[in-house]
Amino acid sequence: MSARLFERGKQLDTLSELLGSAMRGRGRVAVINGAVASGKTSLLERFTDEAISAGALVLEASGSRSERFLPFGILRRILDSAGHHSPEVHAYATELLDAASEETAQAADGTEAGMRIMPHLSTAVLRLARNRTVVIAVDDVHHGDELSLHFLLCLARRVRQARVLIVLTEAVRLRPAQLAFHAELQRQPNCTSVRLRLLTPEGTAGVLGDHLPEAAVGRLAPEIHRTTGGNPLLLKALLEDGTSAAPGETFQQAVLNCLHRGDPEMLTAARGVAVLGDGCSAVQLSHIVDLHVKPTEQALQDLERCGVLHKGAFRTPAAREAVLDAAPPAALSALHLRAAKLLHHEGAASLDVARHLVAARKNVEEWAIPVLKEAAEYALVDDEDELAQQCWELAVASCPEGPQRAALKSRLVSLVWRSSPAAAESHLRQLCRELAAGRLADRDVIQAVSALVWMGQTEGAGEALRHQMTAAAPAYAQASIATARTWLTTISPPLTALFADTDAETGTDTDPSGSVRPGGAHTPAAVAAAMAPYDSADCAYVQAAGAVLTTLRERRTDAAVAEATQVLQRYHLGDRTIQPLVFALLTLIYTGRLDLALAWCERLLGECSARNAPAWHAALGVVRAEIALRRGDLPGAAAQARQALSRICTQSWGVGIALPLAILIETEVQMGNHEEAMNLLEQPVPEAMFSTFLGLQYLRARGRCHLATGRYHAALRDFLTCGELMQAWDMDAVELVPWRLDAAEAWLALGNTGRAREYAEQQNQRDTGLEGSRSRGALLLMLARTGGDLTYRLKRLTEAVDILEVGEDRLQFAVALGELGRAYRALGDFNRARILVRKAWHVAKSCGAEPLCVQFMPGGQAGPEPAEATGRETAEPPKETEVLSEAEARVALLAARGHTNREIATKLYVTVSTVEQHLTRIYRKLQVKRRRDLPARLSDLSLTGAA
C-alpha cells in the first residue's frame, strides 16, 4: 500500500498539535478509536515516526488478547523501551514491579498491592520527561491487563504539567470491564478523542492512484470500494492480489485477519452469517451461533463497521468462502444442523432446509427424512440433480432398515441412474435383496427390476421375483409381479424357463414362449395396466413390452406401431419412463417406421437438452444412431453412436452396450474401416448381454465384420447362432436381425450357391418382410444373387430397386442399383448399365460407403461381395473427366443420350448458343469429332464426376 495515508490528515494534525502542547510542558492524552483494521496502528506508527523526528522519546507497547491477564504486561513493555535511555529509572521501576508481583501472587487480592506502587511508577516515568518530551504510545489498549490500565490512568492524572503525551488506540465497542477505564480516561480535561473511520470512495480512489493509471482508477474505484468497504487492510490485500479487482487468496486471508483481530463474537457471528445466508436477523443468528441476542447484534455492528458486511450480507462471495473454508468441520456441521432446525421450525422451504442438512455431512434425525425427500423432488424440478442425489443419499444413510429405507434406496437408484448407471450398480445388490425380501413398495418393483436388467443382473432379478411368486403370502400385488416379469422376460427371453415350474403351480396364463401375456384380457399385467393411472410407470413398462412383443413375435406391425405411439404420446420423459420410451422407439424402428421414430426421438432429445441426464441422452442418442444406420447414413450413425458412448462410461451401458457397439462395428465395416471394426470387437461386453434380444444385433454386427474381413466360417457361425436364439425365443423377425439373408451371403462367400439359395428361399417362404420395406428389398437382392437365370435376376433386382427407391435405406438402394447395372451389362445393355452403376456410385458416396464406390468404379470388382478398399481414402472419379466443368458434363451426358441442342437448352434453361459453345469445348477436351462418339467416350471414362 502507498506510504501516504489518505483521509488521515485531520487526525495527524490533531496529534501533532497535542505533541506541540506536550513539548511546551502541557501534557496531553489522545485516544484513537476506530473499527477493526481501520488503520489505527498505521496512524499511530506514522505519528510516532514524526514524534521521533521532532526529538521526543517514544515509549511503545501494545495490548494482546492472550496477555490480558498477565499483570503489568503493558507497563513492563513501556519500561523496557525506556531501559537504554535511563537505566536507573528502568532498574528502579523493575524492582518495584518485581516486589509487587510477588506480593500480588501471595495476596488474595493482588490488585491492591499493585495499586500501592502506581504513584512511584508514575513518578519514575515523569523523571524521564525532565529533559525531553516523552510520548507513550500504546496500541490496542483495550486488550491491556487491569494493573497496566490503572498505571495509565494514574499517569494521565499527573501529566498535565509535564512534557508527556500519552497516545492510545482502542476499539469502538468496549467490554464492560474496559468501560470503567475508558470513562475515567475521558473525564480527564487533557484527554482528546480522535475518531478514525473507513475510507470514503474518494479515499479509495486516492490509494488506487498510487498503483493504477488514472483511467483504470476511474473504472475500478467504485467496484473496489464496494468490495472492501473502505477497509484499508482489505484494500491493501486486494491490490496485492492484482489490479483486476477480483478478490484472491490474499484478500481472503485479510478477511480472516479482520475477524480474528476483533472480539471472538465477531468470528462466531461471521460464521453464522456465512452459513445462514444473507438477510438473516440477529434473533435467527443468535439461535444458530449459541449467543444471546444482544452480543449477536453487537457482533453484527462490528462486522458492518469494519466493512466485512454490508446490510447484513458479505460484500463479496470470496469473503463468505474464506469464512466457511477456515471454519473447523465440526463447528461448521453444528452450525448447519442448527440452521436446518431453525428454518424447519420457522416453516422455510424444504430446499433451504435440505441444503443445510446436506452441508452438515452427518446423519439426520427422523424429522429431517421427509424434508430431504420433498427437497429432492423440488431439486429435480429445478434441474439441481446433484443436490437431489445428495438429499436421497443422506436420507438413505439416516433411515433404519425397513420398507422406508428400501423405498428411499429405490428412488436413489433411479436418480443416480440418469447420470451414471454404473454408480447405481453399487446399490443394486442391496436393492435385489430388498426386492426378494418384499420390502419394496409395489410401485418400486418394476423400477428395481429394470435397473437390474440394464446392468445385466437378470438372473438375480428373476430369482427375486420367483421367490415372491412362490411365497405363501407374497409381499407384492400380483399385477406388480406380472409387470416386472413381463419386462424381464421381454428383454431377456431365456428367463422364461425360470418361471416354468411356478407357472404350472400357480396356473399363470403364459404364451408359448413362457412370457406373461401383457395384452391378455385377464392377465395380472393387463389388470395392472387397466387400473394404473395414466402416468403409472407400471403401465408404461407393460405397454412398451407389449409393443416389442407384438412386432417381434406376433408380427402385427400396425398394432405394434399403435402401441408404441401410445406409449410415446402418453408418458413424459422421466426416471420411471425412460426405458419404456426407448423400447417404444425401437419398436417403431423394427416396424420400419423410421420417419415416426426419428420425429419422436428428436422430440425426446430436445426435452433432454435442458436436463442433466447423461444416461437419458446416451440411450436416446443410440436410438438416433440406429435410425441413421437403417437410413444408410453411415458417417452420421457412427458419429451419433460415438457421441452416445461418450456421454456415460462403458460400465454404465450394461447390456445396452450391444446397440452402440453393433452400430459402430457395422458402420465401420460398411465404410471400409475394417481395422477399426476389429478393434471394437475387442471391447469387453457383459456376458448377460448375449441373453438379451439386444445382444442379437451385436452378434449380427460381429458376423458382418467377419464376413467383410474374409472370416467366412466365423461369420456363418454368428449368423446361425442368431437364428438359433431367435427361434428359441420366438423372436424370429427379419426386421430385428435378417439372419437367414446374412447366412446366405456367407454361403455365397464360401462358394456354396446352393446353400445360399436354400436360406434365401427359407426366408422367402417364412417372412418376406413388410411391404415396401428394406428387409423386403434385401430379400429380393439375395434371391437375385442366388438365382441362375438372368431374366429372373433382372425381375427380382428391378423389383428391389423399385421398393428401395421409395424407402429410406439409401445404402441398400445403392447395392440394388449396382446389382441391376451389372445385370444389364451381362444382358448387353451397356448404356443402361452405365447409368445405373453411375447412380449407384453417387448414392453409395452420399452414404459414405467407400468399398461400394470402389466396386462401381471402372476396374472395380463386380462380384457379389464388396471389394476391399484399394488404399485410397476415397474413391476418386477418373482424372480425364475432371477437365469438364459441371455445366459441360451435364451437356455431354444429355448429348450422349441423343437429345438435340434445343432439347438440351430447354432442360438446362440455357440458350441454344450456350449449348453449342459447351459442345465445342467438350469435343476438344474429350478428343472426339462427332456427336455419336460421345457415348463410347463417356462410357470408357465412366463419367462419375457429373450426374
Side-chain angles (χ1 to χ4, degrees):
M1 191 167 157
S2 171
R4 294 188 291 166
L5 294 180
F6 288 88
E7 297 186 333
R8 301 296 183 255
K10 182 178 179 181
Q11 291 83 355
L12 275 173
D13 292 342
T14 300
L15 293 175
S16 297
E17 291 177 3
L18 297 177
L19 177 61
S21 176
M23 287 183 170
R24 293 190 297 271
R26 302 288 294 176
R28 305 298 297 270
V29 177
V31 180
I32 305 172
N33 58 38
V36 174
S38 58
K40 301 185 296 293
T41 302
S42 298
L43 178 64
L44 184 62
E45 290 177 353
R46 176 60 62 87
F47 170 69
T48 54
D49 289 343
E50 293 181 359
I52 292 173
S53 300
L57 172 62
V58 176
L59 308 180
E60 296 178 299
S62 62
S64 171
R65 185 184 293 113
S66 60
E67 297 181 3
R68 183 182 298 169
F69 303 103
L70 182 64
F72 304 114
I74 288 180
L75 178 54
R76 285 186 182 275
R77 283 192 287 274
I78 292 173
L79 293 173
D80 287 344
S81 62
H84 64 283
H85 295 286
S86 179
E88 299 82 2
V89 170
H90 179 265
Y92 171 70
T94 301
E95 184 179 352
L96 289 175
L97 289 176
D98 291 342
S101 296
E102 292 180 6
E103 188 175 351
T104 299
Q106 297 173 0
D109 184 8
T111 304
E112 182 180 352
M115 291 296 294
R116 288 199 297 270
I117 66 170
M118 292 302 171
H120 303 286
L121 292 172
S122 299
T123 301
V125 172
L126 290 175
R127 197 182 308 165
L128 296 172
R130 291 177 180 174
N131 299 321
R132 60 192 300 187
T133 302
V134 176
V135 176
I136 298 176
V138 181
D139 195 16
D140 290 338
V141 72
H142 52 280
H143 290 320
D145 61 278
E146 183 180 3
L147 289 173
S148 293
L149 297 182
H150 281 303
F151 164 76
L152 292 173
L153 282 175
C154 183
L155 181 63
R157 298 188 193 102
R158 290 167 170 75
V159 298
R160 294 182 62 186
Q161 303 298 327
R163 299 171 64 184
V164 176
L165 172 61
I166 303 174
V167 184
L168 312 175
T169 68
E170 66 177 9
V172 174
R173 184 174 62 83
L174 302 174
R175 292 180 174 273
Q178 301 160 352
L179 290 175
F181 167 77
H182 178 79
E184 182 64 24
L185 198 63
Q186 294 293 330
R187 285 182 62 248
Q188 305 304 314
N190 60 337
C191 181
T192 301
S193 292
V194 178
R195 185 63 185 270
L196 206 58
R197 301 186 184 278
L198 299 182
L199 297 175
T200 64
E202 292 75 17
T204 300
V207 175
L208 294 177
D210 287 347
H211 298 81
L212 304 175
E214 185 177 351
V217 171
R219 186 179 73 256
L220 297 176
E223 181 182 353
I224 290 178
H225 185 76
R226 285 192 296 270
T227 301
T228 63
N231 184 309
L233 178 63
L234 299 183
L235 178 57
K236 177 183 177 182
L238 193 63
L239 288 171
E240 290 179 3
D241 280 328
T243 57
S244 62
E249 293 183 3
T250 308
F251 178 86
Q252 291 182 319
Q253 187 58 52
V255 170
L256 297 176
N257 290 344
C258 285
L259 299 178
H260 283 283
R261 288 186 186 185
D263 291 329
E265 291 82 1
M266 273 185 67
L267 179 59
T268 301
R271 287 175 179 169
V273 173
V275 167
L276 200 53
D278 301 342
C280 60
S281 66
V283 176
Q284 290 176 316
L285 190 60
S286 66
H287 281 91
I288 75 164
V289 298
D290 200 21
L291 291 174
H292 291 295
V293 177
K294 187 63 176 177
T296 303
E297 290 177 342
Q298 292 173 341
L300 288 174
Q301 291 171 2
D302 290 343
L303 290 169
E304 294 272 354
R305 290 191 187 102
C306 70
V308 174
L309 296 185
H310 178 62
K311 295 182 179 180
F314 284 97
R315 289 181 173 273
T316 173
R320 178 176 180 271
E321 292 171 7
V323 174
L324 291 176
D325 292 344
L332 199 58
S333 179
L335 287 173
H336 279 295
L337 287 176
R338 290 186 200 134
K341 288 182 179 179
L342 173 66
L343 293 176
H344 180 63
H345 178 73
E346 293 182 347
S350 57
L351 267 176
D352 295 333
V353 178
R355 293 184 198 279
H356 290 290
L357 294 172
V358 169
R361 299 181 180 179
K362 286 187 176 181
N363 288 352
V364 298
E365 299 174 6
E366 187 176 355
W367 65 267
I369 293 177
V371 175
L372 290 169
K373 291 169 60 179
E374 180 181 351
E377 299 300 338
Y378 279 114
L380 289 177
V381 173
D382 294 340
D383 290 328
E384 296 186 64
D385 293 358
E386 184 177 356
L387 175 60
Q389 182 174 332
Q390 291 172 339
C391 288
W392 284 114
E393 288 175 344
L394 181 57
V396 170
S398 305
C399 188
E401 292 288 342
Q404 184 183 15
R405 180 185 174 91
L408 293 172
K409 175 75 77 172
S410 177
R411 187 68 182 96
L412 174 61
V413 167
S414 66
L415 181 60
V416 175
W417 194 95
R418 68 163 60 182
S419 57
S420 174
E425 188 175 13
S426 61
H427 304 284
L428 290 182
R429 185 172 298 176
Q430 175 65 27
L431 195 62
C432 191
R433 288 196 294 266
E434 302 283 4
L435 174 64
R439 286 195 285 264
L440 293 180
D442 280 305
R443 68 189 301 270
D444 294 328
V445 172
I446 183 60
Q447 195 71 13
V449 169
S450 65
L452 289 166
V453 170
W454 179 272
M455 296 310 299
Q457 300 183 28
T458 52
E459 292 187 3
E463 288 291 348
L465 285 179
R466 184 172 179 275
H467 177 77
Q468 280 298 313
M469 291 172 66
T470 57
Y476 308 121
Q478 185 181 3
S480 298
I481 296 176
T483 300
R485 174 182 166 177
T486 298
W487 184 258
L488 180 61
T489 54
T490 298
I491 307 302
S492 184
L495 288 179
T496 54
L498 184 66
F499 301 103
D501 296 338
T502 306
D503 290 339
E505 296 172 6
T506 61
T508 304
D509 183 20
T510 59
D511 65 13
S513 66
S515 294
V516 178
R517 295 181 185 274
H522 305 291
T523 62
V527 174
M531 297 180 61
Y534 80 95
D535 59 348
S536 166
D538 285 26
C539 195
Y541 281 92
V542 168
Q543 291 181 345
V548 171
L549 296 178
T550 299
T551 186
L552 297 185
R553 285 185 180 164
E554 301 177 23
R555 309 292 295 126
R556 294 189 295 121
T557 303
D558 293 340
V561 171
E563 291 177 18
T565 304
Q566 187 179 19
V567 173
L568 293 164
Q569 290 176 342
R570 189 173 183 181
Y571 302 101
H572 295 289
L573 183 63
D575 293 310
R576 303 177 67 84
T577 58
I578 176 63
Q579 290 195 42
L581 290 173
V582 167
F583 280 89
L585 290 173
L586 290 176
T587 299
L588 293 178
I589 292 174
Y590 298 149
T591 56
R593 293 301 307 274
L594 299 183
D595 55 339
L596 194 56
L598 179 61
W600 276 107
C601 190
E602 294 290 358
R603 179 174 176 176
L604 292 172
L605 282 170
E607 293 180 25
C608 268
S609 61
R611 310 286 289 275
N612 181 23
W616 298 2
H617 280 275
L620 292 170
V622 79
V623 173
R624 180 68 181 82
E626 178 71 14
I627 295 171
L629 175 61
R630 293 188 179 229
R631 298 180 75 181
D633 181 8
L634 299 179
Q640 289 158 11
R642 282 197 169 85
Q643 185 179 26
L645 277 174
S646 68
R647 289 192 178 276
I648 55 178
C649 65
T650 304
Q651 292 77 9
S652 288
W653 279 96
V655 298
I657 193 68
L659 283 179
L661 284 182
I663 294 167
L664 279 174
I665 292 169
E666 188 158 357
T667 54
E668 296 296 351
V669 167
Q670 297 283 12
M671 291 190 294
N673 303 324
H674 297 158
E675 185 176 352
E676 179 63 26
M678 294 298 294
N679 290 336
L680 289 168
L681 290 178
E682 299 297 323
Q683 172 76 49
V685 294
E687 185 178 353
M689 182 190 77
F690 296 101
S691 298
T692 66
F693 78 86
L694 299 176
L696 296 172
Q697 294 183 239
Y698 176 85
L699 268 178
R700 195 241 177 173
R702 189 173 72 182
R704 300 297 303 178
C705 181
H706 290 325
L707 189 62
T709 54
R711 298 174 177 85
Y712 304 132
H713 288 286
L716 183 61
R717 184 183 64 246
D718 282 338
F719 298 146
L720 294 179
T721 300
C722 282
E724 292 171 3
L725 294 175
M726 293 171 71
Q727 290 175 325
W729 298 346
D730 192 18
M731 287 185 170
D732 193 0
V734 68
E735 285 80 10
L736 177 61
V737 171
W739 67 272
R740 290 182 180 86
L741 301 182
D742 291 333
E745 194 169 351
W747 279 117
L748 277 179
L750 289 168
N752 194 331
T753 306
R755 293 301 303 274
R757 186 183 304 113
E758 178 184 337
Y759 277 96
E761 289 297 337
Q762 286 181 14
Q763 186 63 57
N764 189 36
Q765 294 171 8
R766 186 186 188 283
D767 185 0
T768 61
L770 302 174
E771 190 65 31
S773 67
R774 64 194 294 269
S775 55
R776 174 64 179 168
L779 172 60
L780 292 170
L781 272 174
M782 187 50 63
L783 290 172
R785 287 179 175 180
T786 57
D789 181 66
L790 184 57
T791 303
Y792 175 83
R793 289 179 58 198
L794 281 172
K795 180 180 178 182
R796 292 300 189 186
L797 289 171
T798 301
E799 188 180 352
V801 167
D802 292 341
I803 289 174
L804 293 170
E805 188 170 19
V806 297
E808 296 183 88
D809 192 341
R810 309 303 295 164
L811 188 60
Q812 284 276 34
F813 180 49
V815 174
L817 283 172
E819 292 282 349
L820 185 58
R822 284 193 282 265
Y824 274 112
R825 182 177 297 166
L827 191 63
D829 191 344
F830 297 109
N831 287 338
R832 183 175 295 183
R834 282 192 296 272
I835 293 172
L836 289 170
V837 172
R838 196 175 303 131
K839 186 174 182 180
W841 186 92
H842 283 288
V843 175
K845 188 71 174 177
S846 67
C847 293
E850 297 301 331
L852 272 183
C853 292
V854 173
Q855 287 187 53
F856 301 146
M857 291 295 296
Q861 296 181 15
E865 294 298 319
E868 293 289 340
T870 59
R872 295 177 294 176
E873 294 187 2
T874 59
E876 299 292 343
K879 292 184 178 180
E880 291 89 342
T881 63
E882 293 180 1
V883 297
L884 294 184
S885 68
E886 186 177 351
E888 291 167 352
R890 286 197 295 267
V891 171
L893 287 173
L894 291 173
R897 293 172 184 172
H899 293 286
T900 65
N901 290 358
R902 187 170 300 277
E903 289 173 341
I904 295 173
T906 302
K907 287 180 176 290
L908 300 181
Y909 300 97
V910 295
T911 65
V912 175
S913 175
T914 301
V915 174
E916 292 173 348
Q917 294 173 18
H918 281 318
L919 284 172
T920 300
R921 287 192 291 270
I922 291 168
Y923 294 160
R924 175 175 53 79
K925 291 180 179 180
L926 298 184
Q927 300 177 359
V928 297
K929 297 181 179 180
R930 293 178 297 275
R931 195 184 196 95
R932 63 172 178 264
D933 294 334
L934 280 176
R937 181 59 173 154
L938 293 178
S939 174
D940 294 339
L941 295 176
S942 182
L943 190 57
T944 56

PDB file of all heavy atoms in Angstrom, residues 672 674 707-710 712 850-851 854-855 861 865-871:
ATOM      1  N   GLY A 672     -15.478 -49.304 -44.833  1.00  0.00           N
ATOM      2  CA  GLY A 672     -14.179 -49.840 -45.204  1.00  0.00           C
ATOM      3  C   GLY A 672     -13.121 -49.754 -44.132  1.00  0.00           C
ATOM      4  O   GLY A 672     -11.966 -50.091 -44.384  1.00  0.00           O
ATOM      5  N   HIS A 674     -11.959 -51.580 -41.662  1.00  0.00           N
ATOM      6  CA  HIS A 674     -12.034 -52.911 -41.066  1.00  0.00           C
ATOM      7  C   HIS A 674     -11.185 -53.025 -39.804  1.00  0.00           C
ATOM      8  O   HIS A 674     -11.569 -53.732 -38.855  1.00  0.00           O
ATOM      9  CB  HIS A 674     -11.590 -53.952 -42.084  1.00  0.00           C
ATOM     10  CG  HIS A 674     -12.492 -54.000 -43.282  1.00  0.00           C
ATOM     11  ND1 HIS A 674     -12.099 -54.503 -44.504  1.00  0.00           N
ATOM     12  CD2 HIS A 674     -13.774 -53.589 -43.456  1.00  0.00           C
ATOM     13  CE1 HIS A 674     -13.101 -54.412 -45.366  1.00  0.00           C
ATOM     14  NE2 HIS A 674     -14.118 -53.855 -44.756  1.00  0.00           N
ATOM     15  N   LEU A 707     -17.383 -61.346 -42.010  1.00  0.00           N
ATOM     16  CA  LEU A 707     -17.648 -61.551 -43.430  1.00  0.00           C
ATOM     17  C   LEU A 707     -16.821 -60.599 -44.281  1.00  0.00           C
ATOM     18  O   LEU A 707     -16.251 -60.993 -45.312  1.00  0.00           O
ATOM     19  CB  LEU A 707     -19.141 -61.343 -43.690  1.00  0.00           C
ATOM     20  CG  LEU A 707     -19.667 -61.716 -45.084  1.00  0.00           C
ATOM     21  CD1 LEU A 707     -19.475 -63.200 -45.357  1.00  0.00           C
ATOM     22  CD2 LEU A 707     -21.132 -61.332 -45.209  1.00  0.00           C
ATOM     23  N   ALA A 708     -16.742 -59.354 -43.865  1.00  0.00           N
ATOM     24  CA  ALA A 708     -16.009 -58.347 -44.646  1.00  0.00           C
ATOM     25  C   ALA A 708     -14.501 -58.582 -44.619  1.00  0.00           C
ATOM     26  O   ALA A 708     -13.785 -58.163 -45.534  1.00  0.00           O
ATOM     27  CB  ALA A 708     -16.328 -56.955 -44.120  1.00  0.00           C
ATOM     28  N   THR A 709     -14.021 -59.240 -43.572  1.00  0.00           N
ATOM     29  CA  THR A 709     -12.574 -59.447 -43.436  1.00  0.00           C
ATOM     30  C   THR A 709     -12.156 -60.858 -43.839  1.00  0.00           C
ATOM     31  O   THR A 709     -11.036 -61.288 -43.535  1.00  0.00           O
ATOM     32  CB  THR A 709     -12.137 -59.165 -41.990  1.00  0.00           C
ATOM     33  OG1 THR A 709     -12.927 -59.949 -41.087  1.00  0.00           O
ATOM     34  CG2 THR A 709     -12.303 -57.696 -41.648  1.00  0.00           C
ATOM     35  N   GLY A 710     -13.057 -61.592 -44.498  1.00  0.00           N
ATOM     36  CA  GLY A 710     -12.688 -62.893 -45.033  1.00  0.00           C
ATOM     37  C   GLY A 710     -12.806 -64.043 -44.065  1.00  0.00           C
ATOM     38  O   GLY A 710     -12.407 -65.172 -44.393  1.00  0.00           O
ATOM     39  N   TYR A 712     -15.146 -66.181 -43.217  1.00  0.00           N
ATOM     40  CA  TYR A 712     -16.494 -66.562 -43.628  1.00  0.00           C
ATOM     41  C   TYR A 712     -17.132 -67.579 -42.685  1.00  0.00           C
ATOM     42  O   TYR A 712     -18.329 -67.500 -42.392  1.00  0.00           O
ATOM     43  CB  TYR A 712     -16.472 -67.108 -45.061  1.00  0.00           C
ATOM     44  CG  TYR A 712     -15.865 -66.143 -46.056  1.00  0.00           C
ATOM     45  CD1 TYR A 712     -14.902 -66.559 -46.976  1.00  0.00           C
ATOM     46  CD2 TYR A 712     -16.243 -64.797 -46.072  1.00  0.00           C
ATOM     47  CE1 TYR A 712     -14.342 -65.674 -47.893  1.00  0.00           C
ATOM     48  CE2 TYR A 712     -15.693 -63.910 -46.980  1.00  0.00           C
ATOM     49  CZ  TYR A 712     -14.736 -64.346 -47.877  1.00  0.00           C
ATOM     50  OH  TYR A 712     -14.178 -63.471 -48.774  1.00  0.00           O
ATOM     51  N   GLU A 850     -17.398 -46.333 -48.923  1.00  0.00           N
ATOM     52  CA  GLU A 850     -16.279 -46.306 -49.851  1.00  0.00           C
ATOM     53  C   GLU A 850     -16.029 -47.634 -50.559  1.00  0.00           C
ATOM     54  O   GLU A 850     -15.726 -47.646 -51.753  1.00  0.00           O
ATOM     55  CB  GLU A 850     -15.016 -45.834 -49.128  1.00  0.00           C
ATOM     56  CG  GLU A 850     -15.100 -44.414 -48.586  1.00  0.00           C
ATOM     57  CD  GLU A 850     -15.359 -43.395 -49.677  1.00  0.00           C
ATOM     58  OE1 GLU A 850     -14.944 -43.636 -50.824  1.00  0.00           O
ATOM     59  OE2 GLU A 850     -15.989 -42.369 -49.392  1.00  0.00           O
ATOM     60  N   PRO A 851     -16.148 -48.782 -49.878  1.00  0.00           N
ATOM     61  CA  PRO A 851     -15.942 -50.040 -50.610  1.00  0.00           C
ATOM     62  C   PRO A 851     -16.927 -50.209 -51.767  1.00  0.00           C
ATOM     63  O   PRO A 851     -16.553 -50.722 -52.828  1.00  0.00           O
ATOM     64  CB  PRO A 851     -16.165 -51.108 -49.521  1.00  0.00           C
ATOM     65  CG  PRO A 851     -15.802 -50.427 -48.254  1.00  0.00           C
ATOM     66  CD  PRO A 851     -16.267 -49.019 -48.423  1.00  0.00           C
ATOM     67  N   VAL A 854     -15.757 -48.187 -54.689  1.00  0.00           N
ATOM     68  CA  VAL A 854     -14.656 -48.847 -55.391  1.00  0.00           C
ATOM     69  C   VAL A 854     -15.196 -49.918 -56.337  1.00  0.00           C
ATOM     70  O   VAL A 854     -14.716 -50.078 -57.470  1.00  0.00           O
ATOM     71  CB  VAL A 854     -13.671 -49.461 -54.380  1.00  0.00           C
ATOM     72  CG1 VAL A 854     -12.617 -50.302 -55.085  1.00  0.00           C
ATOM     73  CG2 VAL A 854     -13.005 -48.357 -53.575  1.00  0.00           C
ATOM     74  N   GLN A 855     -16.215 -50.638 -55.875  1.00  0.00           N
ATOM     75  CA  GLN A 855     -16.810 -51.661 -56.747  1.00  0.00           C
ATOM     76  C   GLN A 855     -17.359 -51.059 -58.034  1.00  0.00           C
ATOM     77  O   GLN A 855     -17.260 -51.650 -59.103  1.00  0.00           O
ATOM     78  CB  GLN A 855     -17.961 -52.356 -56.017  1.00  0.00           C
ATOM     79  CG  GLN A 855     -17.550 -53.313 -54.925  1.00  0.00           C
ATOM     80  CD  GLN A 855     -18.745 -54.052 -54.397  1.00  0.00           C
ATOM     81  OE1 GLN A 855     -19.490 -54.646 -55.171  1.00  0.00           O
ATOM     82  NE2 GLN A 855     -18.928 -53.993 -53.091  1.00  0.00           N
ATOM     83  N   GLN A 861     -14.135 -54.587 -58.612  1.00  0.00           N
ATOM     84  CA  GLN A 861     -14.656 -55.943 -58.641  1.00  0.00           C
ATOM     85  C   GLN A 861     -16.160 -55.910 -58.809  1.00  0.00           C
ATOM     86  O   GLN A 861     -16.834 -55.026 -58.308  1.00  0.00           O
ATOM     87  CB  GLN A 861     -14.292 -56.671 -57.345  1.00  0.00           C
ATOM     88  CG  GLN A 861     -12.795 -56.841 -57.160  1.00  0.00           C
ATOM     89  CD  GLN A 861     -12.490 -57.591 -55.889  1.00  0.00           C
ATOM     90  OE1 GLN A 861     -13.361 -58.205 -55.312  1.00  0.00           O
ATOM     91  NE2 GLN A 861     -11.244 -57.548 -55.458  1.00  0.00           N
ATOM     92  N   GLU A 865     -19.611 -59.896 -53.406  1.00  0.00           N
ATOM     93  CA  GLU A 865     -19.128 -59.321 -52.152  1.00  0.00           C
ATOM     94  C   GLU A 865     -18.435 -57.991 -52.409  1.00  0.00           C
ATOM     95  O   GLU A 865     -17.768 -57.817 -53.434  1.00  0.00           O
ATOM     96  CB  GLU A 865     -18.131 -60.280 -51.494  1.00  0.00           C
ATOM     97  CG  GLU A 865     -18.754 -61.574 -51.046  1.00  0.00           C
ATOM     98  CD  GLU A 865     -19.817 -61.311 -49.997  1.00  0.00           C
ATOM     99  OE1 GLU A 865     -19.596 -60.457 -49.131  1.00  0.00           O
ATOM    100  OE2 GLU A 865     -20.876 -61.944 -50.076  1.00  0.00           O
ATOM    101  N   PRO A 866     -18.521 -57.037 -51.486  1.00  0.00           N
ATOM    102  CA  PRO A 866     -17.811 -55.766 -51.638  1.00  0.00           C
ATOM    103  C   PRO A 866     -16.320 -55.988 -51.698  1.00  0.00           C
ATOM    104  O   PRO A 866     -15.759 -56.804 -50.973  1.00  0.00           O
ATOM    105  CB  PRO A 866     -18.197 -54.997 -50.377  1.00  0.00           C
ATOM    106  CG  PRO A 866     -19.465 -55.642 -49.918  1.00  0.00           C
ATOM    107  CD  PRO A 866     -19.349 -57.074 -50.297  1.00  0.00           C
ATOM    108  N   ALA A 867     -15.676 -55.242 -52.600  1.00  0.00           N
ATOM    109  CA  ALA A 867     -14.221 -55.357 -52.731  1.00  0.00           C
ATOM    110  C   ALA A 867     -13.549 -54.592 -51.616  1.00  0.00           C
ATOM    111  O   ALA A 867     -14.070 -53.642 -51.072  1.00  0.00           O
ATOM    112  CB  ALA A 867     -13.773 -54.795 -54.086  1.00  0.00           C
ATOM    113  N   GLU A 868     -12.330 -55.017 -51.279  1.00  0.00           N
ATOM    114  CA  GLU A 868     -11.551 -54.296 -50.287  1.00  0.00           C
ATOM    115  C   GLU A 868     -11.143 -52.939 -50.830  1.00  0.00           C
ATOM    116  O   GLU A 868     -10.925 -52.770 -52.028  1.00  0.00           O
ATOM    117  CB  GLU A 868     -10.286 -55.092 -49.942  1.00  0.00           C
ATOM    118  CG  GLU A 868     -10.554 -56.387 -49.239  1.00  0.00           C
ATOM    119  CD  GLU A 868     -11.030 -56.158 -47.820  1.00  0.00           C
ATOM    120  OE1 GLU A 868     -10.794 -55.064 -47.296  1.00  0.00           O
ATOM    121  OE2 GLU A 868     -11.638 -57.065 -47.252  1.00  0.00           O
ATOM    122  N   ALA A 869     -11.034 -51.977 -49.959  1.00  0.00           N
ATOM    123  CA  ALA A 869     -10.590 -50.653 -50.371  1.00  0.00           C
ATOM    124  C   ALA A 869      -9.187 -50.752 -50.933  1.00  0.00           C
ATOM    125  O   ALA A 869      -8.365 -51.548 -50.504  1.00  0.00           O
ATOM    126  CB  ALA A 869     -10.634 -49.697 -49.199  1.00  0.00           C
ATOM    127  N   THR A 870      -8.887 -49.907 -51.916  1.00  0.00           N
ATOM    128  CA  THR A 870      -7.609 -50.006 -52.613  1.00  0.00           C
ATOM    129  C   THR A 870      -6.498 -49.250 -51.912  1.00  0.00           C
ATOM    130  O   THR A 870      -5.417 -49.127 -52.445  1.00  0.00           O
ATOM    131  CB  THR A 870      -7.758 -49.443 -54.034  1.00  0.00           C
ATOM    132  OG1 THR A 870      -8.176 -48.078 -53.947  1.00  0.00           O
ATOM    133  CG2 THR A 870      -8.779 -50.229 -54.819  1.00  0.00           C
ATOM    134  N   GLY A 871      -6.760 -48.736 -50.735  1.00  0.00           N
ATOM    135  CA  GLY A 871      -5.721 -47.978 -50.040  1.00  0.00           C
ATOM    136  C   GLY A 871      -5.947 -46.505 -50.107  1.00  0.00           C
ATOM    137  O   GLY A 871      -5.427 -45.757 -49.318  1.00  0.00           O
TER     138      GLY A 871
END
